[in-house]
Amino acid sequence: MRRSLDPEGYEDPGLKSSHLSLGEMSRAGAGIGSPLQAWRARAEEMNPLRQYLPGRRGFYDLDGKRRSAGAPPGHPSRGEGQPVSVTDVDLEAAGSRRLLSQPDSHEGYVELHELVLDNAKDLCWMEAGHWLRLEEDFQESGDWSQPHLSFLTYHSLLEIRRALSKGAILLNLEANSLPAIVHILLDQLIYEGQMKPQDRDDVMRTLLLRHSHPTEDESVWTMPPALVQRSGTGRADVERPLLREQRPMEMSRMAGKEQSGVPKPQLLETIPEGAEATLVLVGCAAFLEQPMLAFVRLKDAVTLDGVLDVSTPVRFLVVVLGPDTPQISYHEIGRAIGTMMSERVFRRDAYLAEGRQELLRAVEDFLDASIVLPPTEAPSEPLLRALVPLQRELLRRRYQPLERLHIGDFLKDLGKDEAAEEDDDPLRRTGRPFGGLVRDIRRRYPKYLSDIKDALNPQCLAAVIFIYFAALSPAITFGGLLGEKTKGMMGVSELLISTCVQCVLFSLLSAQPLLVVGFSGPLLVFEEAFYSFCSSNGLEYIVGRVWIGFWLILLVLVVVACEGSFLVRYLSRYTQEIFSFLISLIFIFETFSKLVTIFKQHPLKREYRVQAEVQPGVPEPNTALLSLVLMAGTFFLAYFLRVFKNSSFLPGKVRRLIGDFGVPISIFIMALADFFINDTYTQKLSVPKGLQVTNATARGWFIHPMGDTTPFPIWMMFASVIPALLVFILIFLETQITTLIVSKPERKLVKGTGFHLDLLLIVAMGGLAALFGMPWLSATTVRTITHANALTIMSKTSAPGGKSQILEVKEQRISGLLVAVLIGVSILMEPILKYIPLAVLFGIFLYMGVTSLFGIQLFDRILLLLKPPKYHPDEPYVTRVKTWRMHLFTFTQIVFLVVLWVVKSTPASLALPFVLILTVPLRRFLLPRIFRDIELKCLDADDAVVTFDEAEGTDVYNEVQMPS
């Protein structure tokens, strides 16, 4: 028995027992008892109930069943008991941050087959192209093109809409083979008058022809298109060419030379798991009077043996057949259908459509989001770039149809209302003392066991090795510079031990163990300023740090008790960029300042009085020049390796490996060059042997709070609250902003974070470390992002040309713990570290200063002051803000930057963080009176993009607005 279908493709349960032959249906009986009349009468009876069938405007129950909004009692929606899920595409398109994987959520793979004549002059279907988000077509050169955007003709889209309005639509068809599908499809085509009954056998034989896939010798380029004739017609007519000799439109793109052919990828490796396919068949039949289109959606996806090039089950079948006419290109119609079925929103609509009208609405929505280029002279690439903002706006509207999916009702049914999301906000104040700290502990510590289990993964071991070098290089660099600025009161050994101990404790106790704790540039600037203050006032610098540590502990207890971490919300990009730009300038200035000092101590002269041993104050020949070479060589080598990482040379894994270890490679190469130059003196890194302090004659491992050599003034014990507040501001800024960056929703962390607990740990450990003469630390932005990226597992089955998706992030404590232990063991590397010249560390210092400028919008806007407007980039802060007002905003930041530099250069340099905090009320209360809201949103927006797959010219520094 053939399945009985109503005119829109629904199975009519009332006719399951009917036996209607094609002859009976085709008889033009006008009587009441006519089977065809009964069929239509039954369809009319069902029409009033059609409005209650589930459509896109329905809502979803907790069990995933979709019901119509407003269905009357006693009339359950069609398909009740069959779960209809909101797909990943639904929620992602609707702007939801969290994707739900439901059984009916499927990626799409599309193949286009055309009717051709093989070498034996037999008819067959030949694959002409396939889609996995992007199009790949088989080229005349005999290989597959690179994945590319599909450029469609507007006429082909209109033809599809017209054909869908009249063609056969079969939805939820139950069939498990291609012959069964074709059998039912032809019955429907005959019933709807799309095809004559006498042509049934010919069309069936055509649709069941064998399917071939292109090779270098056989493809749509080497085989002539076929024209199917009615049975009994001579073969000469069959062999005549169908399509005109012309290149397919997708081959004639503007950048055709860049689309060089590449071998076809292994499709099975790139098709996502659970994907379902669409088969598009297009061809020409001379006996058809007009083009016909049939759209079939199977109830369950079926694997069709010998049809597709991959073993992906087919869910959709689209057939386009028609007479040979110069006005219609069936190839372009097939490409347009393939492109539409590969587009996620149209594919979602095709899954959820319950009738012809919904498919037509989906086509209209697709047309609304498409851009048509008028037939003018070929525009240049700069003119075409103007289409990008328009396309983004069209996509934004298309991918956020909240009113069509009722996502709010669905989330309420799941219990995920706004109150629940707000309750999960780690910065939300509870109104109770230490309430935020308690919430952090309750949120994170129950997952402690999984933090250990998740570390049992090879990727964690690889991350340990990588992060060890990423953390060791700055520790050695900052340690050497710290010893230089504090005259050996703290140096490499103190910084390595402090990093080891604090990182071990932080890894074991923190709420976000992905944070990498270490020393940073702002803390180095403070240490230099506080040392100068103590030296000029006759105070013991190392004892003053102890009292600062005591006040730090008191301050952090007060802030955590009051849940003060919420204040990080008020630190806009305006303040962050001023601070980071200032620190970068200090890095660069200090590098050349030290180099000038070396030239003053060892000036270039005609004659030198060379001694057997290096004497203080006695100039040495070539020392200044070699120091310049070492500094510049280290900087350029590290910078070149950073650029090389994102270049196109070598395989991606190799160049990323070289780029990630660029800093230690640069230090090693330049230190090795200095090692082989025996006759020229350069100042080396001062590293004590074993667990000794850097300057054993000036201090020990424990610092007496009342003073080591002289009593510490009582007034300074209380006055230390001021520098303590400054240190706290620096640590607060870096730690909380780093936590915000690593906790962005795009990173898909699932175990939560803890602003209050992490701040308490870092500041309290730093305060106690001062008792032992060790530096306080903070969360480091660049190293933390690098750590998170190293533990992120990306999907390997992404579509060609598409971005990889995050599968999971190994949120665990062991990698940070092992890195801390390895850094502690590095203190025994004194026989190696003592050969590193300070000039090499100056080069790394310069490298950190220069690279920190990248990603700072303030730096980009300062450069725009020197460029004519026609060379300005296509960025919102340029295109949506008048140029002079953009420069005015930049000028306010430059003025504040100058003020901060002046404060830094005076004896009041300790007040630098206080002056910096004044930018917060300036931004919140003064700038809104000068600039409009839309201008501030463009100029002061946090638009840093999370970087996983680094493109050429971008890396994690583009995501960082704080210096590290």
Side-chain angles (χ1 to χ4, degrees):
M1 183 194 77
R2 296 169 185 164
R3 293 173 57 86
S4 301
L5 303 170
D6 71 5
E8 285 195 299
Y10 298 103
E11 178 185 2
D12 189 346
L15 298 177
K16 281 185 178 291
S17 59
S18 300
H19 297 270
L20 301 178
S21 67
L22 287 177
E24 290 174 324
M25 286 191 294
S26 60
R27 284 195 295 265
I32 301 299
S34 168
L36 185 56
Q37 194 85 353
W39 182 300
R40 289 176 175 170
R42 177 61 176 164
E44 291 298 325
E45 292 176 5
M46 293 187 63
N47 279 337
L49 296 179
R50 185 84 54 178
Q51 60 179 314
Y52 301 115
L53 292 175
R56 289 179 295 178
R57 299 186 180 274
F59 64 92
Y60 294 81
D61 290 336
L62 187 61
D63 58 358
K65 299 174 184 176
R66 186 173 53 178
R67 304 182 189 277
S68 172
H75 289 280
S77 55
R78 176 179 287 271
E80 187 167 338
Q82 301 175 3
V84 182
S85 66
V86 178
T87 65
D88 287 358
V89 169
D90 293 334
L91 292 181
E92 185 179 356
S96 174
R97 290 183 177 178
R98 187 172 301 173
L99 304 182
L100 300 180
S101 296
Q102 298 287 351
D104 288 343
S105 173
H106 302 284
E107 290 289 340
Y109 169 74
V110 184
E111 274 194 18
L112 170 63
H113 291 204
E114 297 184 14
L115 193 60
V116 297
L117 287 173
D118 63 11
N119 294 334
K121 302 303 179 182
D122 292 327
L123 291 169
C124 71
W125 293 103
M126 174 60 68
E127 180 186 359
H130 53 247
W131 285 256
L132 197 56
R133 296 184 185 172
L134 298 178
E135 179 181 3
E136 294 180 74
D137 50 79
F138 199 79
Q139 297 180 324
E140 189 175 9
S141 58
D143 51 14
W144 287 92
S145 70
Q146 295 180 354
H148 58 267
L149 291 176
S150 299
F151 300 94
L152 309 176
T153 62
Y154 190 61
H155 185 264
S156 64
L157 293 173
L158 294 181
E159 286 291 334
I160 292 174
R161 191 196 181 285
R162 185 190 65 80
L164 270 178
S165 65
K166 299 180 180 179
I169 308 295
L170 296 178
L171 303 177
N172 297 332
L173 184 65
E174 293 186 5
N176 54 15
S177 66
L178 184 58
I181 299 173
V182 171
H183 188 75
I184 300 174
L185 173 60
L186 296 181
D187 287 352
Q188 186 71 13
L189 287 171
I190 294 173
Y191 165 67
E192 295 187 5
Q194 299 288 322
M195 186 180 68
K196 296 179 180 179
Q198 58 267 32
D199 295 329
R200 187 179 193 278
D201 293 340
D202 291 324
V203 176
M204 175 174 286
R205 278 193 297 268
T206 302
L207 296 180
L208 296 181
L209 289 170
R210 66 180 178 88
H211 293 257
S212 300
H213 302 281
T215 63
E216 188 173 353
D217 299 326
E218 294 185 349
S219 68
V220 292
W221 292 96
T222 61
M223 296 179 176
L227 179 64
V228 181
Q229 299 287 342
R230 188 173 282 116
S231 300
T233 307
R235 293 181 60 87
D237 292 335
V238 179
E239 295 176 0
R240 72 179 179 86
L242 163 63
L243 301 178
R244 279 70 189 157
E245 293 297 329
Q246 59 181 6
R247 299 180 65 195
M249 197 273 296
E250 75 273 14
M251 298 295 296
S252 305
R253 58 180 59 88
M254 287 161 286
K257 293 183 179 179
E258 298 179 4
Q259 298 291 336
S260 58
V262 295
K264 183 179 180 180
Q266 297 297 326
L267 284 179
L268 286 177
E269 297 180 2
T270 56
I271 295 178
E273 183 179 357
E276 293 183 347
T278 299
L279 176 61
V280 182
L281 303 178
V282 297
C284 235
F287 52 81
L288 294 178
E289 298 178 356
Q290 60 183 4
M292 68 176 187
L293 179 145
F295 183 93
V296 179
R297 184 184 71 202
L298 301 178
K299 183 176 181 180
D300 298 306
V302 176
T303 301
L304 304 179
D305 297 332
V307 176
L308 299 183
D309 198 17
V310 292
S311 58
T312 303
V314 174
R315 186 65 173 267
F316 296 93
L317 172 66
V318 184
V319 179
V320 180
L321 292 175
D324 182 16
T325 171
Q327 289 79 25
I328 298 178
S329 171
Y330 295 100
H331 173 76
E332 291 303 326
I333 292 177
R335 288 188 57 251
I337 295 173
T339 303
M340 294 169 67
M341 292 303 300
S342 65
E343 198 264 331
R344 58 178 182 174
V345 178
F346 184 87
R347 188 171 66 252
R348 177 205 65 194
D349 292 341
Y351 270 104
L352 299 180
E354 294 290 349
R356 185 189 310 273
Q357 294 305 317
E358 294 195 3
L359 282 175
L360 290 175
R361 280 198 298 269
V363 175
E364 292 170 355
D365 292 343
F366 185 90
L367 290 173
D368 288 341
S370 302
I371 299 175
V372 179
L373 292 178
T376 58
E377 294 184 6
S380 61
E381 290 189 12
L383 292 177
L384 290 177
R385 290 195 192 102
L387 298 175
V388 176
L390 174 60
Q391 186 203 33
R392 288 176 179 170
E393 177 63 20
L394 292 175
L395 290 179
R396 185 189 66 81
R397 295 177 183 177
R398 181 165 175 79
Y399 291 160
Q400 294 180 354
L402 294 177
E403 72 282 358
R404 292 168 54 187
L405 286 175
H406 295 268
I407 294 299
D409 295 338
F410 177 66
L411 294 179
K412 286 181 180 179
D413 288 339
L414 294 180
K416 300 186 179 298
D417 52 8
E418 295 180 1
E421 292 183 1
E422 185 177 320
D423 183 66
D424 194 48
D425 183 6
L427 290 175
R428 186 180 62 85
R429 303 186 71 186
T430 65
R432 300 185 300 272
F434 296 100
L437 177 64
V438 173
R439 289 175 68 243
D440 289 347
I441 294 175
R442 289 178 176 175
R443 182 190 305 111
R444 198 62 173 84
Y445 279 9
K447 303 180 179 68
Y448 205 98
L449 184 59
S450 69
D451 289 340
I452 308 299
K453 294 180 179 179
D454 290 346
L456 304 178
N457 186 282
Q459 184 151 348
C460 294
L461 178 61
V464 168
I465 299 174
F466 171 46
I467 300 302
Y468 165 66
F469 285 101
L472 180 64
S473 300
I476 294 174
T477 302
F478 282 121
L481 297 173
L482 188 61
E484 181 76 12
K485 295 179 181 297
T486 62
K487 302 298 185 292
M489 297 303 292
M490 288 191 301
V492 176
S493 60
E494 289 85 358
L495 184 52
L496 288 177
I497 294 175
S498 178
T499 302
C500 171
V501 175
Q502 294 190 45
C503 284
V504 167
L505 294 175
F506 188 81
S507 297
L508 295 175
L509 302 175
S510 67
Q512 183 49 275
L514 295 184
L515 296 182
V516 177
V517 178
F519 202 71
S520 64
L523 294 177
L524 179 64
V525 173
F526 172 83
E527 295 289 1
E528 181 184 15
F530 186 65
Y531 182 83
S532 300
F533 172 80
C534 291
S535 299
S536 60
N537 289 277
L539 301 173
E540 287 189 88
Y541 159 74
I542 202 71
V543 178
R545 293 185 77 258
V546 175
W547 286 99
I548 291 178
F550 290 157
W551 283 109
L552 277 178
I553 296 175
L554 181 60
L555 285 173
V556 74
L557 288 174
V558 172
V559 171
V560 172
C562 299
E563 301 178 295
S565 292
F566 81 96
L567 294 173
V568 74
R569 296 185 187 274
Y570 299 104
L571 295 174
S572 69
R573 185 171 187 153
Y574 185 85
T575 300
Q576 298 174 33
E577 289 191 335
I578 292 176
F579 184 41
S580 57
F581 198 97
L582 174 67
I583 298 301
S584 297
L585 287 181
I586 293 175
F587 278 18
I588 297 171
F589 176 80
E590 288 295 328
T591 299
F592 289 102
S593 175
K594 293 299 180 184
L595 191 62
V596 170
T597 302
I598 294 177
F599 270 86
K600 289 181 178 179
Q601 295 175 350
H602 305 279
L604 303 180
K605 300 192 301 183
R606 180 181 295 273
E607 296 181 358
Y608 292 90
R609 296 180 181 179
V610 180
Q611 306 292 329
E613 297 290 337
V614 177
Q615 301 294 331
V618 178
E620 291 290 327
N622 300 324
T623 295
L625 288 178
L626 182 58
S627 297
L628 174 61
V629 170
L630 292 175
M631 185 272 292
T634 305
F635 167 74
F636 284 113
L637 186 57
Y639 187 80
F640 166 77
L641 293 177
R642 174 180 181 263
V643 175
F644 176 79
K645 173 184 177 181
N646 301 314
S647 68
S648 56
F649 297 98
L650 300 182
K653 292 183 179 179
V654 176
R655 67 171 182 264
R656 283 190 175 88
L657 180 66
I658 296 174
D660 289 337
F661 293 96
V663 171
I665 289 174
S666 305
I667 293 176
F668 173 77
I669 291 177
M670 301 312 295
L672 190 65
D674 176 78
F675 176 78
F676 285 110
I677 302 177
N678 297 319
D679 294 335
T680 303
Y681 164 77
T682 53
Q683 186 179 359
K684 301 298 191 296
L685 182 64
S686 176
V687 183
K689 295 183 179 180
L691 296 177
Q692 297 181 5
V693 295
T694 302
N695 189 353
T697 59
R699 50 156 292 192
W701 274 117
F702 180 78
I703 310 301
H704 199 288
M706 305 308 295
D708 282 342
T709 57
T710 58
F712 195 72
I714 296 179
W715 67 270
M716 188 58 191
M717 297 178 186
F718 293 96
S720 296
V721 66
I722 298 178
L725 186 58
L726 303 180
V727 176
F728 180 80
I729 292 174
L730 295 178
I731 297 177
F732 180 89
L733 286 175
E734 288 210 87
T735 300
Q736 304 297 56
I737 291 176
T738 300
T739 306
L740 277 178
I741 291 176
V742 81
S743 302
K744 285 184 176 181
E746 296 89 334
R747 294 192 174 274
K748 297 184 180 180
L749 302 182
V750 297
K751 295 186 179 181
T753 187
F755 289 85
H756 310 280
L757 176 59
D758 292 347
L759 181 67
L760 177 64
L761 285 174
I762 291 175
V763 177
M765 289 188 302
L768 294 176
L771 269 174
F772 304 95
M774 294 188 293
W776 32 63
L777 309 177
S778 69
T780 54
T781 311
V782 172
R783 279 161 268 176
T784 296
I785 294 176
T786 305
H787 187 204
N789 287 354
L791 294 172
T792 300
I793 299 178
M794 310 296 292
S795 62
K796 296 182 180 180
T797 57
S798 60
K803 292 183 179 181
S804 299
Q805 301 297 319
I806 298 178
L807 295 181
E808 64 173 324
V809 180
K810 294 296 181 181
E811 300 177 66
Q812 39 73 48
R813 301 177 182 272
I814 303 302
S815 61
L817 181 66
L818 293 180
V819 169
V821 173
L822 290 175
I823 290 177
V825 174
S826 301
I827 192 63
L828 304 178
M829 295 171 57
E830 178 269 339
I832 299 176
L833 297 179
K834 68 180 182 181
Y835 290 107
I836 300 178
L838 281 182
V840 170
L841 301 185
F842 295 155
I844 298 299
F845 211 47
L846 178 62
Y847 167 79
M848 290 188 291
V850 172
T851 53
S852 294
L853 291 175
F854 296 104
I856 300 178
Q857 189 192 101
L858 171 60
F859 179 67
D860 297 334
R861 284 188 274 106
I862 290 176
L863 294 181
L864 293 183
L865 291 171
L866 308 176
K867 294 182 179 181
K870 66 178 181 179
Y871 297 113
H872 288 185
D874 186 16
E875 297 290 343
Y877 62 84
V878 175
T879 58
R880 307 188 68 176
V881 180
K882 291 183 179 180
T883 302
W884 72 271
R885 294 184 66 80
M886 175 186 69
H887 292 333
L888 177 62
F889 186 86
T890 305
F891 181 72
T892 63
Q893 289 182 292
I894 293 176
V895 170
F896 225 101
L897 197 60
V898 172
V899 171
L900 288 172
W901 186 269
V902 171
V903 172
K904 178 259 175 190
S905 304
T906 62
S909 59
L910 282 176
L912 186 67
F914 278 134
V915 181
L916 176 68
I917 290 300
L918 294 179
T919 60
V920 176
L922 172 71
R923 165 62 183 86
R924 288 188 59 83
F925 302 111
L926 180 59
L927 290 185
R929 297 178 179 273
I930 303 174
F931 299 93
R932 293 182 293 118
D933 288 342
I934 184 63
E935 293 175 330
L936 291 177
K937 287 180 180 179
C938 295
L939 292 166
D940 198 29
D942 181 16
D943 57 358
V945 178
V946 176
T947 305
F948 298 110
D949 293 331
E950 296 172 356
E952 185 172 355
T954 64
D955 56 18
V956 293
Y957 284 94
N958 294 78
E959 193 178 341
V960 176
Q961 297 160 14
M962 296 294 291
S964 280

